[in-house]
Amino acid sequence: MLTPEQFKNVFSDAIPASSPQITILAKANGLNHPRLGLAIPKKHIKLAVGRNRVKRIVRESFRTRQHQLPAVDLVVIAKGGSGDLSNEELTKLLGKLWQRIVRRCNG
């Protein structure tokens, strides 16, 4: 997702999947594929290298799981502590959150 309107649409009435470090918001998009948007604030991850690492891991996790996800717009929001997780911990956490989104959107 690219435009502020697309992000606002998801924020308005979303299905959440949350952990202390990451929140994923999902909303049906009317397309036949999921789309990803990222919100990684400087407030929670100070250094650009940390924000870029989190973005890279989220994108890779989405890429490997996108065929299992329903047709929704997803916004991944990093919260405090997300930059402190190792790559493996972050990947594992995202996997659990993707599964929660699939259950909530399909069931």
Side-chain angles (χ1 to χ4, degrees):
M1 296 187 322
L2 299 173
T3 65
E5 291 80 27
Q6 292 170 338
F7 277 82
K8 284 179 191 173
N9 183 37
V10 175
F11 286 126
S12 66
D13 185 27
I15 298 169
S18 188
S19 76
Q21 297 88 7
I22 302 259
T23 296
I24 300 177
L25 302 175
K27 185 173 181 181
N29 63 12
L31 304 172
N32 59 358
H33 58 84
R35 297 188 300 179
L36 179 66
L38 300 171
I40 315 294
K42 283 185 187 178
K43 179 180 179 181
H44 297 303
I45 305 174
K46 302 286 186 216
L47 299 178
V49 65
R51 292 191 302 277
N52 291 337
R53 181 182 69 88
V54 170
K55 288 187 224 178
R56 189 171 52 250
I57 292 169
V58 170
R59 283 189 193 114
E60 179 62 17
S61 177
F62 174 77
R63 186 188 68 79
T64 59
R65 301 268 183 145
Q66 66 184 336
H67 301 294
Q68 302 164 6
L69 296 170
V72 292
D73 285 343
L74 300 157
V75 176
V76 177
I77 305 166
K79 297 190 283 189
S82 57
D84 300 331
L85 296 174
S86 71
N87 292 1
E88 294 79 22
E89 291 170 329
L90 192 54
T91 301
K92 188 175 180 180
L93 175 62
L94 287 166
K96 289 179 184 176
L97 293 174
W98 296 133
Q99 288 176 349
R100 207 174 297 165
I101 287 291
V102 169
R103 279 197 311 270
R104 291 183 178 172
C105 290
N106 291 338

